[in-house]
Amino acid sequence: MQITENVRDIMRSPEYVLNSLTEHSENLNYKFERLYRIFFNEEMYYVAYQRIYAKPGNMTAGADGKTIDQMSLNRIEQLITSLKDESYQPQLEKPLNFDPFGHAELS
């Protein structure tokens, strides 16, 4: 049982997942499946934060008007829960306008 748990932990590690995605992206015939599940892994948010926090522009507000300094464990947990129960609704700061050809524009 311990070996199975260790393999599962390795398979879910952000480094493993990101390396695997990079490797598969080089194959134009590879079909990605269930990518949304990556966002269920709390550790992915930590890795993303570490990669962004020290870079220029990191305090630029996102589409929801929030900046990286507003990230918290509670926010991550709420996001993961809403993704899992399919209740997630992005909160856009600016409304989207759609043209008849299906192109989105921020107003």
Side-chain angles (χ1 to χ4, degrees):
M1 188 65 103
Q2 182 65 29
I3 293 173
T4 304
E5 289 176 11
N6 289 341
V7 169
R8 189 177 313 135
D9 289 342
I10 291 169
M11 297 293 284
R12 295 162 87 181
S13 85
E15 286 182 31
Y16 177 85
V17 172
L18 294 172
N19 288 337
S20 178
L21 289 172
T22 300
E23 183 179 311
H24 290 301
S25 71
E26 295 170 4
N27 178 353
L28 298 177
N29 295 318
Y30 186 81
K31 181 181 175 187
F32 291 96
E33 294 180 359
R34 302 186 300 188
L35 290 174
Y36 67 92
R37 293 178 61 185
I38 293 169
F39 296 110
F40 296 171
N41 185 342
E42 192 173 300
E43 291 181 38
M44 289 300 246
Y45 297 88
Y46 305 149
V47 170
Y49 182 87
Q50 289 172 346
R51 291 184 178 191
I52 294 170
Y53 82 97
K55 299 204 176 189
N58 68 355
M59 294 307 289
T60 303
D64 61 0
K66 295 181 180 175
T67 61
I68 195 166
D69 68 337
Q70 294 169 305
M71 187 55 72
S72 67
L73 291 176
N74 185 47
R75 186 174 172 199
I76 292 169
E77 290 169 359
Q78 287 177 352
L79 177 60
I80 291 171
T81 298
S82 67
L83 289 167
K84 284 182 177 180
D85 69 16
E86 299 179 11
S87 66
Y88 174 75
Q89 294 291 316
Q91 302 299 313
L92 299 177
E93 185 80 356
K94 298 179 179 180
L96 286 176
N97 293 322
F98 292 95
D99 71 14
F101 300 106
H103 300 103
E105 298 177 4
L106 286 175
S107 52

